[in-house]
Amino acid sequence: MNGPAVAAIYSFEMARTFRTIVQSIVSPVLTTSLYFVVFGSAIGARMTEIDGVPYGAFIVPGLIMLSVLTESISNSSLGIYFPKFTGTIYEILSAPISAVEIVMGFVGAAATKSLMIGVIILATAALFVPLHIEHPVWMVVFLLLMSIGFSLFGFILGVWADGFEKLSFVPVLIITPLTFLGGSFYSIDMLPPFWHTVTLFNPVVYIISLFRWSFFGTSDVSVGVSLAMTLSFIAACLAFITWIFKTGYKLKS
Amino acid sequence: MIHMPSIISVADLSKTYKSGLSALSGINLEIERGEIFALLGPNGAGKTTLINIICGIVTPSGGKVTADGHDIITDYRAARTKIGLVPQELTTSAFETVWATVSFSRGLFGKPANPAIIEKILKDLSLWDKRDSKIRQLSGGMKRRVLIAKALAHEPTILFLDEPTAGVDVELRRDMWNMVRKLREAGVTIILTTHYIDEAEEMADRIGVINKGQIILVEEKASLMRKLGRKQLSLQLHDKLESVPDALASYKLELAPSGLELTYTYDAQAESRIPNLLTAISGAGIVFKDLHTSQSSLEDIFVNLVSNRA
Ligand SMILES: Nc1ncnc2c1ncn2[C@@H]1O[C@H](COP(=O)(O)OP(=O)(O)OP(=O)(O)O)[C@@H](O)[C@H]1O
Ligand SMILES: [Mg+2]
């Protein structure tokens, strides 16, 4: 185990985060506040409650996940894409480090940042609505799992991407819609039967449902199924990353 | 003399890129411990490919490489810990400071932080004043020195320099040569590629020439110069000569169109014939007023080699 190497990559990536600290913190805080103004106050005034939870509070888990997913993906993908783009990846490839250690460094840093942002959004939300968290330990565990899982996914995206368009394509055109349609702002039980069934093919549904359960003790889909879906997503990412390094796919010629 | 095992051993190495281009084929090469080895070859010959394979950046298609006895694939950790690489391209991360990027390299290669060593490296490379500057604020030559500092940060025993002096001014070139010599004195084995033949001539203990993905020659520099170096003896004649006298035919002399210069081309083995030639020339009644000899440089040797195989 090459500990210093993991630490070096991790701190390099964290330094990148802290160079843009203002932007890193201001943008999620601002976005969250805007969502609360629009959804919480304007629409929430008419929606009152979902599953016995006031609408303002109901959207909090979805809002956190929305940011955590997009931040995990964009940070992690940029983290590995940038050295590929500038050519500095030569040093990582020539260093005595294993694939696992490289992933630990990059994904660890991206997940840390997502976690920080998740906590910041939670704190911002608490300013707007009274929050009671039913299962705080699970909440933290899930937040951690999602941060890591989607940072792994972002890592794959960063390795795969060979241009900046591809890098922004996936978050903007796939992840954001899936999150919006995944019940961030409503319960999928509110959908007509056909769309309800379609929605069940959206993996983000399970993630948000699971996370919301840790807040309010109620969920759209069963907790067991959600957990299984989330864990298999992470396992699939790990398997894919292993394959990437075994074959050198897009990292080595 | 006890033969030390080579520090780098390349056996039957080949590389075909995904595009189908065969960049290296059947490369066999032994690098001796503690030497400076210069790898010469025209653009696209495969120098960078060879170096990148040894350093772990490019995957070989076939063959085997060991560095200090460690297989570069099955035992990559031990092998790579010994190796430092200064790449051909100036690739640096722009926003970091010099100090941070060099420290990063040391960590990446598994060494615990050691500010004293980083300080020494930066001072040796005249980068100490720039330690807190962002890399993008540095000039090209300084960036190259930063890359060297990064490659040395983990105290490697084998150093690859892929065209270290491309785009570098004369003074910095001298500095770099001195640095390379100092490293060699400290026991570091150095493999460098260059297009400046005078650099190889000045620095290298041994020279390898690669062309179209094949090693076409590996020689001690001195013996290479002796064996392949052509020499020429020119005589400035006192009186105009119409043709070379028959008595001198065996020497294959060349007469300049002006009729005032005779040139004898010979290699190191034929040196002993010079006194006989001069005697024969006087015997033929030719009077010369001046003479001089010239020796081909490594550059001529190199151009000859590569164009013969083309
Ligand atoms: N990633 C790659 N994919 C496909 N072909 C490549 C790749 N890298 C190099 N080549 C080809 O392999 C051959 C050898 O290239 P290489 O960079 O090893 O040459 P070189 O001797 O270092 O040349 P130079 O003196 O210009 O640096 C060239 O024909 C080059 O076009
Ligand atoms: Mg090259």
Side-chain angles (χ1 to χ4, degrees), chain A residues 253, chain B residues 17 19 21 23 42-49 88 163 195:
Chain A
S253 37
Chain B
Y17 281 107
S19 58
L21 184 130
N43 287 130
K47 304 180 293 293
T48 300
T49 302
Q88 180 173 0
E163 294 189 31
H195 286 285

Side-chain angles (χ1 to χ4, degrees), chain B residues 201 221-229 295-298 301:
Chain B
E201 207 164 341
K221 180 184 62 187
S223 76
L224 178 65
M225 307 281 303
R226 247 195 331 271
K227 201 160 76 187
L228 292 174
Q295 184 165 11
S296 60
S297 66
L298 195 51
I301 299 176

